[in-house]
Amino acid sequence: MPDESVKVAVRVRPFNQREKDRSAKLIIKMQGQMTSISNPEAPNEEPKSFSFDYSYWSHDGFKERSDGILEPAGGSNYSSQRRVFEDLGQGVLDNAFEGYNCSLFAYGQTGSGKSYSMVGYGQNKGIVPITCDEMFKSIDKNTDSNKRFEVTFSMLEIYNEQVRDLLSKDNPKGGLNVRQNPKLGLFYVENLKRVPVGSYAEIEKRTEQGTASRTVASTNMNATSSRAHTVVTITFDQIIKSESGSETKKSSVMNLVDLAGSERADSTGATGDRLKEGANINKSLSALGNVISALADLSMGTKKKIMVPYRDSILTKLLQNALGGNSKTIMIAALSPADINYDETLSTLRYADRAKKIKNKAVVNENPLDKLIRELKEENERLKKAMEGGGVMMQEGAGLTPEELEKMRKQMEEDIRAQLMANQAMLADNEESWNEKLAEARTETDKIDTGGADDKRKNKEPYLINLNEDPMLSGVICHFLNNGETSVGRKDASPVPNICLSGLSIQKQHAVIFNKKGVIEIESVSGSGSKTKINGLPLTGRKALCHKDRILFGSNHMYVLMNPLKPDTADNSLPKEITWEYAQKEIAQVKGFATGSAGLSKEQQIVQEQVLEILPMVSEVNAVSEELNKQKSFEVVLISAAAQEGGDVTQSQASNWTSNELVLVTVKMKNLLNGNTWLWERGKFITRRYLIQELYQKFLDGEDVSNIPKEQDPFWEPTEDVLIGTSNLFLQSLSYCLDFMDTLNISDYKGQEEGQLKVKLEPCDNKGKPIDEEAFVDDPHELLNKPYHFKLTVETANIHKSRFSKGILVKYSVKNNGKMEEVKTPTVKNTLTPTFNHSKVISIPKLKQENLDFFESGCITLSVYGIQEDTMPDPKLLKLNTRELRQMETMENTTANASGRRATMFGNEIASDTSHLKTEVVLLQRKYERLQQKERRMQQICEEWSKKPDGEKQFEPFYRAVSAVANSTGTRLKTRVQMLNQDGKHVGDGDTISLFVFDENEHELAQEASQNNGVVDYHKVAKHHYPDLQTSKAKTDSVIQEKDDSQGDQDSFGSVDLAPYMNTANSQDSADRSKKFSQNGKRTAFLSDINTKREAIKPVRNAVSEYSANKTSTATNGKRPSSAENNKTESSACVIQ
């Protein structure tokens, strides 16, 4: 048969309730076979388009029939379950009857609708059940007496590279072995239970049995359904008798595979985790992707020699025939329609696009039955001889060490023995009649309790129904509550409880449920230490239960109480159907996490989803830590990514760090013996969680896990620097070439104050030498397109907690010469008040507007780290187990919170405003000085005019002079003032000073200064020099400094000298001042003195304005002073209203 490409279909589901609540946007469009996806972050970008064999639109355009089946509404292009079967499932069925092997597998992220397409939900059956039903309908229609049919059913699960038989109660430790048939080269599962079935009802019952096994395993934490692959294999044999009496078998193997969630590796990747390679999370899907890529390259002929890596995982071994082998294969890719899942959905489309390039060679599997039996017997004889003469098989082992040869020989013997047993089983199957095997299987099937007979009881008796993160596994387990007492506990308890649970935090005698004529109550068993939650709250004492109450036994067993006798007791605010997600949100709310979605940004929604996802995992890991006595505790921590890594962020990001894309969901692990802590990113924690599950499974299997090497222990981590807290250094002062010194609060991820950090920021030259204070600029745009350098000095720190005295250092990252650079201070040990005095010169080759914007609204985040060491714990703590240590920690935290421990929960929010206020103080000081000089110059002009005789008082020159000063912002000029000794003689060359000139000829003076190295002759500007103002200048022109180095920043303005500007009787009103300034944004207190001076010159300005209004342009010769002409626009910015 010629090569045939893998058929690929994609299907998009409706919005789920969470996406509706968040007003999700649709990003998928379909037209014919074409599917396109739009990037929500780039709405103007051309959508990416893909072409597949089938594109199924199941997002909207449907209606529900009275029997619950969804069908297309009038004129819509909705694809129903039936249509998907007719396109895909019917082809599988037709190929099976022709004798071809068939494979159908569903791919997509968790929650994208894979299981709905494969299995279905409620009355809307999926491809698998419809295919099975149609297969038996076709068998029943057979009237040929020379043709008979034999169907066997198997169901397995692959999780963490282990195979588990879902139709068997007894699975060996480590799962079932996967062997390779030496003759065919194909892989098979050893000792997998293959059940003969004679009707669709029997398959349905067996499917429910397998689903129940998955549910129990998931609840007991042996597996997590979203990370497990489910493989249903139906072997369909047609035995046809010829006229001569010989029989021919036409055999078809149908593999129906529901793959695990395909979340991208980088969205949960554990970067830098030492145990990442030891975790098998997503290993199967990664291997499957590699196989598909290799097969696609082979099919397209892009590479001549390609080794297809089937052996890299259990899944790819079992799918070897389905991909690139003897099979007709169909892949259905499930798509999430919401913008929040854009990256995962695009990844799924690309995966599917790659798969459609694979070509298979399917052949009809038809052989005479007697030939098959004869070949089996001959193969057995060969295998027996090989067992006896193993030396012959080892001839190819030349060059191997004796140990390697022995290991290879044992492995080959084991494989041969397994193949012998498999062949013997096949021969025995052929000798035993099909009818006998079917009758035996049916007897077993009839004993399976699937709860179908209990539907009537559910309308009359109270019962518990399970919830699971996988909707397909919810509602599978049902426990009825009989009148009287129903005990809950482990099966190894005596007496055996009525409801037997196993897994984390389940005690032998866990709880008792009382049913008195429909009135339900629950109580923990006294002294058992059991953990039970009702509607998210811990159970204390005896509690009455209402209809639809949520009950969590231990860490994993979530149930809903359904009480048909008292339905009116249910809370009216509850949804119609209680889901796993609803129950987890409830638990999160009790723990203090917000779960509402109204008004949240996309980034906030992602964070919220991650928190809800990780909370039950953290509870689970804490329970394992207690049970294995690992002396570790875990908690969810929300932390700014930039703060964690010492990055530079904008002011708005830093002040609103819990509501943007910078928020990371992390988990803190704490050593309860010595207080050491570690922050794990979400991906690393998820990896460790699976390894912890694996360790716990070994513990349940009876292995001694107490003495494993610490390098292999997922609870162990080498000591590392711990983030004490962060400080945000705002940069507004750099826009004006101002120095800035401050003591910043160090806040941890909870906003609690952990200490102070003293830093200094100063403009400098490229060698780090501070520039002259006269470099101050009024307009930051004067700095554009010039080189700019500034020096950041980390001076000292003061840390509160003594456990950090082993060593303290500061890290930050900043863009230097156009490249991000990581900066780290030296580590200062054995002190809580380290002195660093560490400076770093940061250079900007050419200052651009984006740099000014960053100065204005940006900050550098300084991360303060403490050195941790493995210290010996208090001997008293060693006597406590993990549960007691966690309880003690909880009590200590409660006490600390109750004692009013100082916290800066809003520190990040006020830090920006505080820093800007401090910088603005300096700016106002400079403007105040200028206004003083301007005022003095106007008074000087008025005084000179008033002293003139009446005959010399000409108003035109007076108007020009006053107008020039009034409309000028002043020109800064430098001059030299001669210093005098005690004898009145000049000393040296003079002292260079700067002053502002407000005059008609300031433009000419500026030109003269530019021709004389920036200095103008003192005699020409002497009248603008007011020595009595220099005292004020010296007082106000200093760098903003600490008032008291020993006290640090005691309040928002404690480090700013406000004395010249405010009548500050004491520091008690500082908080009120902070609130006042941050709320109204006006700096009234600073401007009060300025406004007083402005009132003094107001009559003169009014007179000038009135005169100017009455004069014609000719009266002033149509000309105004050049300085006023140049600076008229600027003057309005100088005088602050």
Side-chain angles (χ1 to χ4, degrees):
M1 181 178 177
D3 293 353
E4 181 177 321
S5 297
V6 171
K7 286 188 176 181
V8 178
V10 295
R11 189 180 191 190
V12 60
R13 61 163 172 78
F15 285 137
N16 58 33
Q17 190 58 49
R18 182 176 67 253
E19 291 162 348
K20 291 178 182 177
D21 293 343
R22 293 174 176 175
S23 302
K25 295 180 181 178
L26 179 66
I27 58 172
I28 297 292
K29 288 184 179 180
M30 290 181 175
Q31 187 172 6
Q33 295 178 319
M34 188 71 68
T35 296
S36 59
I37 180 171
S38 303
N39 186 350
E41 301 296 331
N44 296 326
E45 185 180 287
E46 188 72 20
K48 296 177 176 63
S49 297
F50 302 85
S51 179
F52 301 104
D53 295 287
Y54 303 97
S55 289
Y56 294 120
W57 181 263
S58 299
H59 178 70
D60 56 15
F62 57 88
K63 62 181 181 180
E64 185 175 350
R65 296 190 335 206
S66 58
D67 57 1
I69 293 178
L70 303 180
E71 63 180 11
S76 78
N77 60 342
Y78 175 78
S79 296
S80 64
Q81 294 281 67
R82 191 72 201 181
R83 180 186 166 186
V84 174
F85 164 76
E86 289 170 355
D87 287 344
L88 305 180
Q90 189 64 53
V92 169
L93 195 56
D94 293 343
N95 290 328
F97 272 94
E98 292 177 20
Y100 293 107
N101 292 333
C102 307
S103 298
L104 173 64
F105 60 98
Y107 180 89
Q109 72 177 109
T110 301
S112 60
K114 301 186 305 295
S115 297
Y116 181 78
S117 292
M118 293 294 287
V119 183
Y121 188 78
Q123 296 299 314
N124 295 279
K125 302 292 184 184
I127 297 173
V128 175
I130 296 178
T131 300
C132 295
D133 190 21
E134 293 294 328
M135 179 177 63
F136 281 104
K137 286 180 180 178
S138 299
I139 290 174
D140 292 340
K141 293 177 182 178
N142 176 55
T143 57
D144 188 348
S145 59
N146 291 322
K147 182 186 290 187
R148 72 176 193 270
F149 302 91
E150 297 176 359
V151 182
T152 60
F153 178 89
S154 67
M155 189 173 182
L156 61 85
E157 183 176 66
I158 304 172
Y159 176 76
N160 205 18
E161 286 300 283
Q162 294 182 7
V163 178
R164 203 167 64 87
D165 190 344
L166 295 176
L167 302 183
S168 175
K169 293 182 179 179
D170 300 319
N171 279 278
K173 295 178 183 179
L176 299 175
N177 291 321
V178 175
R179 304 284 186 190
Q180 186 174 23
N181 185 311
K183 181 180 179 182
L184 301 177
L186 300 177
F187 294 92
Y188 66 95
V189 179
E190 185 182 14
N191 297 327
L192 180 67
K193 188 171 184 176
R194 294 174 174 84
V195 181
V197 287
S199 67
Y200 168 65
E202 293 171 36
I203 284 186
E204 190 173 37
K205 208 164 188 179
R206 289 292 182 174
T207 303
E208 290 174 0
Q209 177 193 4
T211 302
S213 295
R214 288 183 64 206
T215 305
V216 172
S218 174
T219 307
N220 292 347
M221 207 197 66
N222 296 341
T224 301
S225 60
S226 64
R227 294 289 182 180
H229 313 286
T230 306
V231 181
V232 171
T233 302
I234 299 171
T235 304
F236 178 53
D237 293 334
Q238 304 171 70
I239 293 89
I240 305 166
K241 183 182 286 189
S242 66
E243 294 180 357
S244 62
S246 61
E247 291 184 335
T248 300
K249 179 189 281 190
K250 187 184 287 186
S251 183
S252 171
V253 177
M254 291 183 282
N255 286 311
L256 307 167
V257 186
D258 189 359
L259 294 172
S262 62
E263 285 70 33
R264 294 177 308 141
D266 58 350
S267 66
T268 58
T271 53
D273 187 6
R274 64 183 178 86
L275 291 179
K276 183 180 179 182
E277 294 304 318
N280 291 315
I281 310 165
N282 267 346
K283 178 178 179 181
S284 294
L285 283 178
S286 298
L288 182 60
N290 294 335
V291 166
I292 287 176
S293 294
L295 290 171
D297 290 339
L298 273 176
S299 300
M300 293 186 294
T302 55
K303 297 180 181 178
K304 293 182 179 180
K305 292 184 178 181
I306 298 176
M307 183 69 177
V308 182
Y310 289 115
R311 293 177 175 270
D312 285 358
S313 76
I314 297 295
L315 177 68
T316 49
K317 286 178 181 178
L318 297 181
L319 291 182
Q320 179 179 355
N321 220 24
L323 297 168
N326 175 23
S327 176
K328 293 198 171 187
T329 301
I330 298 171
M331 171 183 174
I332 181 166
L335 309 179
S336 297
D339 52 350
I340 198 171
N341 295 318
Y342 169 78
D343 292 327
E344 281 76 11
T345 302
L346 179 59
S347 175
T348 299
L349 286 167
R350 286 172 172 164
Y351 201 98
D353 192 55
R354 195 76 172 155
K356 72 182 183 182
K357 298 178 174 66
I358 298 174
K359 296 185 183 296
N360 288 355
K361 293 182 179 180
V363 296
V364 175
N365 303 305
E366 186 172 19
N367 284 292
L369 201 55
D370 55 355
K371 179 186 175 184
L372 290 174
I373 295 172
R374 185 176 68 250
E375 288 178 348
L376 276 174
K377 290 180 178 179
E378 291 173 354
E379 185 180 7
N380 272 1
E381 289 301 317
R382 287 197 303 270
L383 291 172
K384 287 177 182 178
K385 289 180 180 179
M387 285 282 290
E388 295 168 359
V392 178
M393 303 281 288
M394 302 303 296
Q395 288 179 352
E396 296 180 1
L400 299 177
T401 65
E403 292 80 9
E404 290 173 331
L405 283 170
E406 180 64 19
K407 184 178 179 180
M408 183 180 291
R409 186 185 65 79
K410 287 184 177 180
Q411 181 64 46
M412 292 179 71
E413 282 186 3
E414 192 176 331
D415 289 343
I416 292 170
R417 189 177 292 107
Q419 187 60 45
L420 266 171
M421 293 176 64
N423 288 351
Q424 291 286 10
M426 291 177 68
L427 286 170
D429 283 345
N430 283 308
E431 291 171 3
E432 184 182 2
S433 72
W434 170 255
N435 290 333
E436 290 175 358
K437 289 185 288 185
L438 183 59
E440 184 181 342
R442 279 177 169 171
T443 302
E444 183 183 325
T445 304
D446 291 339
K447 294 179 181 178
I448 298 172
D449 181 15
T450 58
D454 294 329
D455 289 341
K456 293 181 179 179
R457 291 183 64 187
K458 290 181 179 179
N459 296 323
K460 300 177 182 179
E461 301 177 32
Y463 60 94
L464 300 177
I465 195 79
N466 80 299
L467 291 180
N468 193 283
E469 61 177 323
D470 185 345
M472 304 301 296
L473 304 185
S474 288
V476 173
I477 300 174
C478 178
H479 297 292
F480 286 93
L481 305 178
N482 298 322
N483 274 316
E485 296 183 5
T486 301
S487 55
V488 180
R490 297 204 306 256
K491 63 182 178 181
D492 59 346
S494 180
V496 178
N498 303 105
I499 299 177
C500 291
L501 305 176
S502 61
L504 284 170
S505 303
I506 298 296
Q507 305 303 314
K508 287 186 176 182
Q509 301 290 345
H510 196 92
V512 179
I513 301 174
F514 305 92
N515 179 8
K516 189 175 181 180
K517 296 182 180 179
V519 177
I520 312 296
E521 293 180 323
I522 187 171
E523 185 178 31
S524 294
V525 175
S526 178
S528 66
S530 62
K531 295 181 179 179
T532 304
K533 290 183 178 180
I534 310 297
N535 303 332
L537 295 170
L539 174 63
T540 56
R542 191 157 171 163
K543 180 175 177 59
L545 296 178
C546 301
H547 181 54
K548 290 188 176 182
D549 272 355
R550 286 72 60 205
I551 307 170
L552 177 63
F553 296 108
S555 299
N556 298 78
H557 293 268
M558 179 72 74
Y559 287 89
V560 179
L561 171 68
M562 306 301 291
N563 191 352
L565 302 179
K566 303 282 185 180
D568 55 333
T569 60
D571 190 333
N572 293 330
S573 63
L574 290 174
K576 183 179 179 180
E577 181 182 2
I578 305 295
T579 62
W580 166 270
E581 185 182 47
Y582 178 86
Q584 292 301 326
K585 277 188 177 181
E586 188 172 56
I587 293 173
Q589 285 175 332
V590 171
K591 291 184 178 180
F593 288 91
T595 59
S597 58
L600 296 183
S601 67
K602 177 183 175 182
E603 291 75 22
Q604 289 173 314
Q605 292 171 14
I606 292 173
V607 169
Q608 187 184 78
E609 277 195 4
Q610 291 177 350
V611 168
L612 292 175
E613 172 200 29
I614 215 168
L615 270 178
M617 297 182 188
V618 170
S619 298
E620 177 185 282
V621 170
N622 274 323
V624 176
S625 178
E626 287 187 8
E627 197 149 334
L628 301 184
N629 198 31
K630 289 294 185 178
Q631 289 104 21
K632 301 291 194 304
S633 71
F634 298 82
E635 67 173 317
V636 178
V637 169
L638 302 181
I639 190 168
S640 162
Q644 187 183 27
E645 300 171 6
D648 52 357
V649 294
T650 66
Q651 173 194 338
S652 61
Q653 288 171 336
S655 62
N656 198 23
W657 65 275
T658 56
S659 62
N660 58 50
E661 66 275 13
L662 294 179
V663 176
L664 283 181
V665 178
T666 64
V667 173
K668 182 176 80 170
M669 180 177 77
K670 181 176 182 179
N671 186 325
L672 296 171
L673 295 177
N674 60 19
N676 284 349
T677 60
W678 295 263
L679 271 181
W680 288 350
E681 62 166 0
R682 171 175 162 267
K684 180 174 181 177
F685 170 73
I686 290 175
T687 299
R688 289 298 180 91
R689 181 239 183 174
Y690 286 109
L691 292 170
I692 288 169
Q693 285 182 322
E694 192 174 344
L695 181 69
Y696 184 68
Q697 185 59 49
K698 292 178 180 178
F699 169 74
L700 293 179
D701 290 340
E703 295 186 31
D704 182 9
V705 297
S706 60
N707 296 316
I708 60 173
K710 63 181 183 181
E711 290 79 10
Q712 299 175 18
D713 187 353
F715 284 97
W716 181 81
E717 193 81 333
T719 56
E720 59 186 29
D721 298 348
V722 62
L723 181 67
I724 299 173
T726 58
S727 301
N728 289 328
L729 175 62
F730 293 90
L731 311 174
Q732 189 189 24
S733 61
L734 296 178
S735 297
Y736 302 90
C737 285
L738 289 174
D739 293 358
F740 186 81
M741 181 183 289
D742 199 7
T743 297
L744 309 172
N745 279 338
I746 302 170
S747 301
D748 68 4
Y749 63 89
K750 291 183 178 179
Q752 293 177 336
E753 183 186 298
E754 294 289 348
Q756 292 84 33
L757 186 67
K758 187 175 181 181
V759 297
K760 185 176 182 181
L761 198 65
E762 51 188 337
C764 63
D765 60 19
N766 60 349
K767 295 182 180 178
K769 181 181 178 181
I771 60 175
D772 190 279
E773 64 179 21
E774 304 304 333
F776 163 76
V777 297
D778 295 311
D779 184 1
H781 291 89
E782 295 177 25
L783 303 173
L784 287 174
N785 300 318
K786 299 176 183 177
Y788 193 93
H789 313 276
F790 65 93
K791 181 166 63 175
L792 197 168
T793 303
V794 180
E795 296 191 346
T796 62
N798 181 17
I799 306 300
H800 297 331
K801 292 180 180 176
S802 60
R803 74 184 185 90
F804 296 124
S805 63
K806 300 178 184 67
I808 299 169
L809 69 155
V810 180
K811 300 178 185 178
Y812 60 92
S813 59
V814 67
K815 187 173 286 188
N816 189 14
N817 283 315
K819 297 180 180 179
M820 288 304 298
E821 185 175 338
E822 301 291 333
V823 184
K824 182 169 69 172
T825 69
T827 301
V828 181
K829 297 184 177 182
N830 304 319
T831 180
L832 290 175
T833 56
T835 298
F836 302 105
N837 288 330
H838 177 272
S839 297
K840 176 68 179 178
V841 176
I842 293 98
S843 300
I844 303 173
K846 189 176 182 180
L847 197 75
K848 300 179 181 178
Q849 184 61 46
E850 62 189 60
N851 302 119
L852 284 181
D853 293 341
F854 182 68
F855 288 166
E856 182 64 28
S857 61
C859 69
I860 295 175
T861 299
L862 304 166
S863 300
V864 184
Y865 285 84
I867 303 299
Q868 295 188 127
E869 296 177 356
D870 269 331
T871 56
M872 290 299 295
D874 186 338
K876 295 179 181 178
L877 296 180
L878 290 172
K879 299 178 182 179
L880 303 178
N881 61 34
T882 304
R883 177 176 294 183
E884 292 166 339
L885 289 168
R886 291 191 68 220
Q887 289 173 346
M888 186 173 72
E889 182 190 34
T890 302
M891 292 175 63
E892 289 175 353
N893 290 340
T894 303
T895 303
N897 293 335
S899 65
R901 176 182 176 185
R902 181 175 183 182
T904 56
M905 294 301 292
F906 304 100
N908 284 324
E909 295 179 16
I910 67 170
S912 166
D913 191 57
T914 302
S915 177
H916 280 240
L917 280 172
K918 291 175 180 179
T919 302
E920 194 164 344
V921 167
V922 176
L923 297 178
L924 288 171
Q925 289 171 350
R926 300 292 178 121
K927 291 177 181 178
Y928 179 64
E929 296 162 16
R930 186 182 305 182
L931 286 174
Q932 279 187 309
Q933 295 183 55
K934 185 173 184 175
E935 171 203 3
R936 185 64 60 86
R937 177 61 185 145
M938 294 187 75
Q939 290 174 344
Q940 192 179 58
I941 293 173
C942 293
E943 186 177 350
E944 290 174 355
W945 189 72
S946 64
K947 290 180 179 180
K948 290 182 178 182
D950 292 340
E952 296 180 11
K953 291 182 178 179
Q954 300 182 25
F955 199 80
E956 292 289 347
F958 173 72
Y959 165 74
R960 287 196 304 269
V962 173
S963 179
V965 175
N967 293 292
S968 172
T969 58
T971 298
R972 184 200 298 268
L973 297 174
K974 289 184 180 181
T975 187
R976 288 191 178 91
V977 179
Q978 292 291 332
M979 306 298 292
L980 302 177
N981 60 17
Q982 293 180 349
D983 299 328
K985 296 181 179 179
H986 296 299
V987 179
D989 295 330
D991 186 20
T992 301
I993 63 170
S994 67
L995 44 77
F996 283 98
V997 174
F998 299 91
D999 213 337
E1000 298 174 80
N1001 64 341
E1002 60 186 80
H1003 183 63
E1004 289 79 2
L1005 291 171
Q1007 287 183 331
E1008 180 183 330
S1010 64
Q1011 296 171 0
N1012 193 27
N1013 295 323
V1015 180
V1016 69
D1017 184 79
Y1018 176 76
H1019 297 291
K1020 295 183 179 181
V1021 293
K1023 62 182 178 181
H1024 299 282
H1025 184 208
Y1026 311 108
D1028 61 315
L1029 295 182
Q1030 298 309 303
T1031 302
S1032 171
K1033 182 179 187 303
K1035 184 176 183 180
T1036 61
D1037 200 33
S1038 59
V1039 176
I1040 296 182
Q1041 295 179 357
E1042 303 278 335
K1043 291 169 66 176
D1044 184 351
D1045 287 345
S1046 64
Q1047 294 183 359
D1049 192 358
Q1050 293 298 315
D1051 58 49
S1052 299
F1053 296 93
S1055 59
V1056 186
D1057 185 6
L1058 304 181
Y1061 310 103
M1062 301 186 68
N1063 296 322
T1064 310
N1066 54 57
S1067 62
Q1068 293 180 352
D1069 61 344
S1070 60
D1072 294 332
R1073 294 200 306 273
S1074 172
K1075 181 177 180 181
K1076 171 184 174 183
F1077 293 141
S1078 61
Q1079 285 180 344
N1080 60 30
K1082 296 180 179 179
R1083 313 307 188 236
T1084 309
F1086 293 109
L1087 300 177
S1088 59
D1089 210 4
I1090 296 175
N1091 288 333
T1092 300
K1093 303 298 183 184
R1094 290 177 66 241
E1095 290 296 321
I1097 63 174
K1098 190 173 182 180
V1100 177
R1101 294 193 65 183
N1102 290 341
V1104 172
S1105 299
E1106 183 177 354
Y1107 182 83
S1108 176
N1110 294 328
K1111 296 291 291 179
T1112 62
S1113 58
T1114 55
T1116 59
N1117 297 323
K1119 181 180 179 181
R1120 64 188 329 186
S1122 59
S1123 61
E1125 191 174 287
N1126 292 335
N1127 296 310
K1128 180 179 180 182
T1129 304
E1130 295 184 49
S1131 65
S1132 61
C1134 175
V1135 182
I1136 303 176
Q1137 300 297 326

